[in-house]
Every structure is written in C-alpha cells, then in structure tokens.
Amino acid sequence: MQDFSERSALVTGAGSGIGRGIALAFARAGARVAVSDVDVAGGEETVGLIQRAGGQAVFYRCDVSSAAEVRSMVQGIVEDTGKLDFAINNAAVGMETDELPDVPEAIFDRIMGVNVKGVFLCMQHEIRQMLQQGHGAIVNIASVNSYRPQNRQSVYTASKHAVLGLTRNAAIDMAGSGIRINAIAPGAIETPMLAAALRNAPAGRDQVIDKMSLIGRLGQPDDVAKAALWLCSDDASFTYGHTLAVDGGYLSR
C-alpha cells in the first residue's frame, strides 16, 4: 500500500462513485483529502466516511466549470495544508440519451462545461500551485469513450476525447517541471452514473456487462482508486502523459 502521510490530495466529484472511492483510498494511504463536489450532502458524507475510518478530510463545494470557484478551492486547500501534492480531476456529468441531431444545446454546454472546461480550469490552478512547489502529480479521469464511441453518447464521447488531449499536451508542457500528468480511462464501473445509463439502455444489465467486460463483472470504484494511487506514487515516476485503462479488458477487443 502507498504511504501518502503528510501529503495533500484533491479529488473533484468526490461526493459519490469513482470520486468517493478515490478519496477514501487516498485517505487510507494517509493523505489529507480535499473532497470536492457540487453535491454538498454527498461530499459531506464522503468526509464523514473518511473521518470515521480515522482519516483526514475537508469538504469544498465547487462547481468546476466556474473559474472563480476553482480558484477559491485551490487557494483554500493551500491555506489549509500549505501545498497540493496530488490532484484527481474526476468531476463529470453523465451521458446524453439522444442521437446527436436531437441533443439540446443546453446539454452540450453542460457536458462540455464540466467535463472539459472543468478539467481545464482545475489543471490551470493546480499546475500554478505545483509549479510554486516544484512538484506534484495530476490524474484526469477520462473514459473508455475516449477511445471507443458508444450509441447516443456523441457529446460525452467528445468531452472525454478532449480530456485525453488536455492530459497529453499538459504533460508535454510540464515535462521537467517536477509535475507529472496522466489519466485513467475507466470502463463499466458500478456507480450511480452507470446505474442511470443502464436504466436507459435498450439491452439488459447482463448484456451490458458481457459487452463491457471480459471477466463477467462490473468494475468497482476501488479498482480505479488503486490505479490513481499508483499514478501519483513514486513508483510511476517515469510515467508521463499516459492513459491507464481500468476497463476489465473492454478496449482489448
């Protein structure tokens, strides 16, 4: 297990699902975790879970599509801990359910605002702080959609392609600065977002699992969390601009 004692970690979208799993994992590894979400109840629940397990966590309500809120969040973390060692940019909104000609413009703006602009803004402020420190690790949560499109998910798929572009180019920009930037592409992970997608899927749950996994089960948030811990650790010190698939073998087909 990684030892992140005396380290500071930010996890956006940590009020549920993958983000909560990552926040819990960093806390178990000893990090002081900044739990961020627009969902106050969910974020505070994650903080409570961490604290009851003996970990350290503070909640920051933040809409990552707002530059002012992101700036305030990062400033608050640095004021609280003096630094920002790790940042996991996980906050995202789910897939649309219409074919592209029928997607409302407001849905496009919302998905792009959170999934793309949100990652962009968070990276800007995280990198600025990490440059002052001379070190840091950032992990952006992409998706298997970053590589393979799905039915009725054109905008979501485009947003996750953009996350890979931001990750790769920022890794190039920051090479030699002491900051490592990578991504994770989760597959079908058991989360509220996936549950909502399955409710709208014409195929049944078993058919979706068969399509999305080689091993006959959905992934768990902790599967993604373990990958995030590794990418932030010194064990990954030679890993830059990489996207690690945590997908039950989906992309290997």
Side-chain angles (χ1 to χ4, degrees):
M1 181 176 179
Q2 304 295 342
D3 182 2
F4 289 152
S5 301
E6 308 301 325
R7 304 290 188 91
S8 170
L10 163 64
V11 185
T12 69
S16 64
I18 290 173
R20 173 174 287 176
I22 294 172
L24 291 169
F26 272 85
R28 287 194 299 269
R32 180 175 176 82
V33 182
V35 171
S36 170
D37 209 300
V38 290
D39 177 5
V40 174
E44 291 181 342
E45 183 178 352
T46 300
V47 169
L49 289 169
I50 290 171
Q51 292 177 339
R52 286 193 292 275
Q56 302 179 74
V58 178
F59 174 65
Y60 293 85
R61 188 206 175 277
C62 180
D63 176 355
V64 296
S65 68
S66 164
E69 292 192 26
V70 172
R71 182 186 308 110
S72 177
M73 173 183 66
V74 173
Q75 287 176 345
I77 294 167
V78 175
E79 289 171 4
D80 181 41
T81 66
K83 59 181 178 175
L84 178 60
D85 297 297
F86 312 124
I88 314 300
N89 297 316
N90 165 75
V93 293
M95 307 88 167
E96 70 274 28
T97 57
D98 296 312
E99 293 178 346
L100 189 142
D102 301 317
V103 176
E105 184 178 356
I107 296 296
F108 176 92
D109 290 342
R110 177 62 175 156
I111 292 173
M112 289 296 178
V114 176
N115 297 11
V116 183
K117 184 181 178 184
V119 171
F120 163 75
L121 291 172
C122 285
M123 289 178 72
Q124 274 199 322
H125 290 281
E126 293 156 2
I127 288 170
R128 287 169 183 165
Q129 172 58 32
M130 290 174 179
L131 284 171
Q132 293 182 33
Q133 303 167 178
H135 73 274
I138 295 172
V139 177
N140 296 323
I141 304 302
S143 167
V144 291
N145 285 49
S146 303
Y147 295 96
R148 189 173 298 173
Q150 308 292 329
N151 292 336
R152 297 174 180 263
Q153 295 176 21
S154 295
V155 181
Y156 180 81
T157 295
S159 76
K160 291 301 184 176
H161 274 69
V163 170
L164 289 199
L166 287 168
T167 300
R168 290 167 175 164
N169 228 96
I172 293 170
D173 289 346
M174 292 299 107
S177 69
I179 302 171
R180 293 188 302 104
I181 304 173
N182 294 287
I184 296 172
I189 308 296
E190 192 97 55
T191 64
M193 184 183 292
L194 180 66
L198 287 175
R199 284 194 295 270
N200 296 312
R205 177 186 173 91
D206 290 344
Q207 289 175 284
V208 171
I209 293 174
D210 184 63
K211 174 187 175 184
M212 296 295 294
S213 172
L214 295 182
I215 58 176
R217 72 167 177 88
L218 298 175
Q220 297 300 315
D222 199 48
D223 293 317
V224 182
K226 290 172 182 174
L229 287 174
W230 181 78
L231 285 170
C232 285
S233 75
D234 291 340
D235 292 339
S237 63
F238 201 57
T239 304
Y240 285 76
H242 176 68
T243 303
L244 178 58
V246 180
D247 65 349
Y250 170 70
L251 291 175
S252 68
R253 300 195 199 211

